[in-house]
Amino acid sequence: MPVLTSDQITVADLTDGYSIMLSADAISLNGSTTTLGTAQSVTVNVTAYKGGSKVVPTVGTPTCPANVSASVGAASDSVVPVTITFAAALAAAGKVVIPVSVDDITINKEFAFSISFKGATGVSAYSYDLIVSHAAVVKNITGAYSPSAITLTAKRLQGTGNPANYSGRFKIETTTDNSTWTAQYTSSANEATKEFTIPSGVVAIRCTLYLAGGTSTVLDQQTVPVVSDGATGATGATGATGKTGATGATGATGAGGAAGGDAYTVILTNENHTFAGSVSAALAGSTECSVIAYKGATQVAATIGTISGAPTGMTTSITDNGKTTAKFTVTVTTAMTTNNGVLTIPVTVDGKSFSMKFTYSLALTGATGATGATGATGKTGATGATGQTGAAGADALSLVITTSAGNIFRNSSGSTILTAHVFKAGAEVTGSALSALGTIKWYKDGGSTAVGTGASLTVNASDVTNKAVYEARLEA
């Protein structure tokens, strides 16, 4: 018999709900720069509940993308393990679909994975040094300087390579009172060396190296002291006059006065250092600084005390302490993340104490730039021409099923009446008009034998095991 129109409805008997869970729904894998790099695996446990009771699920064959495989293990304590293996060649995120069945219900669970790729290696950082030809200038009692001029040289070191001459900008300042500094020379163009003649009357020379192109970014700084010979001692007192009478012998000339005390000067050969760094921390390295002490114009031994101010990742060591060659070494590791700071170096010379300062900073590598935005979507093509209007069709027939008590039974009890409504051109057809069109027949679960005839069919809970599909057909 030809079928003019039909509709179907699912009737379910819900006694207990089903819950299926994975011990993990996703994972982020650590990769190399473009692929996973090394094979990795993860085990996901599948657990199922029917109502409040734990049941053993049946896990089918997982569906995996390329370079991913999965194996299903034996159940233990109602839990089924699924081991997912990712090959080293895996280069993109994706998902594994795991089919899980309980009774006659199958649910596809998805396990997602992604890859955290390593960023490209950054360019090695630069470190800069300002080298001054003389650590100190001596001024003798006549006012003459030795040497009469000093030479400044700029050096640059990339990573662990060899230092090379660097063309930056120099600024040279002098002071007559160790308080106020006067600029004597500023580079007008980039240069690698500069000779400077020392003017009269100065007690120190401050030399600063700047980044090429201007004088805003300081790279290194050195201060050269001018040490002076002590002044000549005062003339001794005149001897006492002899007794009156016979002319006595002339009194002896008084002893010469004590010589004036020599001044003390302490200098560091490296007052500032820039350590090479990565994007966020220091690269392992070190720098050495000598402590030079003068009494007048004579170099004397210096004793370095406990150095303070070192951050995490920085250590200091002292060698030749108490000698004229005393020096300290500053060493940094990749644990150092402090961008800049100051170390305090206590120095003792002939029982006199001096507090010296050593300034440090990090030259960090710039981070990798962000990925560019996705390009715009292309234009939509033109719409095709409209086809010719077809001839008017016959009035449409449709069939709709309604229920008297819904389509869900609870705990295998209850009943519901299914009613088929036939519509022709939007209007419901009943009685003889419906009989003239055909007969309504009911079928269950796709069967070919009708389980009922007529506009209505009563369905009891006992007719349904878990669920059943009923179809009403209008047959001519």
Side-chain angles (χ1 to χ4, degrees), residues 21-44:
M21 296 170 288
L22 301 181
S23 58
D25 294 315
I27 189 173
S28 179
L29 304 168
N30 293 323
S32 61
T33 55
T34 57
T35 64
L36 194 57
T38 57
Q40 302 178 36
S41 64
V42 63
T43 297
V44 179

Side-chain angles (χ1 to χ4, degrees), residues 321-463:
N321 210 11
K323 302 179 181 180
T324 57
T325 56
K327 58 188 174 184
F328 62 91
T329 301
V330 181
T331 303
V332 298
T333 68
T334 56
M336 176 176 164
T337 58
T338 304
N339 288 337
N340 53 68
V342 179
L343 299 182
T344 300
I345 298 92
V347 179
T348 303
V349 180
D350 289 348
K352 295 178 173 56
S353 298
F354 301 86
S355 181
M356 310 303 292
K357 303 294 182 183
F358 175 86
T359 303
Y360 64 87
S361 60
L362 281 182
L364 298 178
T365 303
T368 303
T371 303
T374 303
T377 303
K379 295 181 178 180
T380 302
T383 303
T386 303
Q388 295 180 351
T389 303
D395 290 336
L397 290 174
S398 61
L399 189 151
V400 176
I401 298 174
T402 61
T403 68
S404 63
N407 62 331
I408 303 296
F409 297 133
R410 301 290 181 184
N411 299 318
S412 301
S413 64
S415 63
T416 187
I417 299 174
L418 307 181
T419 301
H421 301 270
V422 177
F423 295 85
K424 182 177 182 180
E428 187 171 4
V429 180
T430 60
S432 59
L434 177 58
S435 300
L437 292 175
T439 303
I440 297 175
K441 293 184 179 183
W442 296 87
Y443 298 85
K444 180 182 177 182
D445 292 332
S448 59
T449 302
V451 296
T453 302
S456 298
L457 177 70
T458 298
V459 178
N460 298 308
S462 59
D463 299 327

Side-chain angles (χ1 to χ4, degrees), residues 56-342:
V56 179
T58 299
V59 180
T61 302
T63 301
C64 303
N67 293 312
V68 179
S69 60
S71 61
V72 180
S76 175
D77 191 24
S78 301
V79 176
V80 178
V82 177
T83 300
I84 303 172
T85 302
F86 306 93
L90 184 65
K95 64 182 179 181
V96 176
V97 179
I98 305 172
V100 183
S101 300
V102 178
D103 296 334
D104 62 345
I105 295 176
T106 299
I107 298 175
N108 288 326
K109 301 295 290 184
E110 293 185 354
F111 180 82
F113 60 86
S114 61
I115 303 175
S116 297
F117 294 107
K118 292 182 180 178
T121 302
V123 178
S124 297
Y126 288 102
S127 60
Y128 301 84
D129 281 312
L130 172 60
I131 299 173
V132 182
S133 59
H134 295 79
V137 174
V138 177
K139 179 181 178 182
N140 64 24
I141 198 168
T142 66
Y145 293 116
S146 178
S148 61
I150 57 175
T151 300
L152 282 60
T153 304
K155 296 286 186 179
R156 182 173 71 176
L157 172 67
Q158 183 176 20
T160 58
N162 296 320
N165 285 343
Y166 172 72
S167 294
R169 299 289 179 96
F170 296 115
K171 184 177 182 179
I172 303 174
E173 303 166 279
T174 60
T175 180
T176 58
D177 56 6
N178 281 315
S179 175
T180 302
W181 294 87
T182 302
Q184 300 289 350
Y185 174 79
T186 301
S187 300
S188 59
N190 297 336
E191 53 187 339
T193 62
K194 171 63 182 177
E195 184 178 76
F196 175 71
T197 300
I198 303 167
S200 62
V202 302
V203 297
I205 306 161
R206 186 164 66 190
C207 309
T208 306
L209 171 64
Y210 292 90
L211 190 68
T215 55
S216 59
T217 302
V218 176
L219 300 178
D220 199 1
Q221 188 177 82
Q222 303 288 342
T223 300
V224 180
V226 176
V227 294
S228 301
D229 288 336
T232 302
T235 304
T238 304
T241 305
K243 294 181 179 180
T244 305
T247 303
T250 304
T253 303
D262 290 329
Y264 287 92
T265 302
V266 178
I267 60 173
L268 302 181
T269 59
N270 185 10
E271 296 176 329
N272 178 286
H273 188 77
T274 300
F275 293 97
S278 62
V279 175
S280 60
L283 297 176
S286 63
T287 187
E288 188 178 272
C289 178
S290 296
V291 178
I292 299 176
Y294 286 90
K295 181 179 180 181
T298 303
Q299 187 174 355
V300 294
T303 301
I304 304 171
T306 301
I307 300 173
S308 61
T312 299
M314 175 184 286
T315 58
T316 59
S317 59
I318 302 171
T319 55
D320 292 342
N321 210 11
K323 302 179 181 180
T324 57
T325 56
K327 58 188 174 184
F328 62 91
T329 301
V330 181
T331 303
V332 298
T333 68
T334 56
M336 176 176 164
T337 58
T338 304
N339 288 337
N340 53 68
V342 179

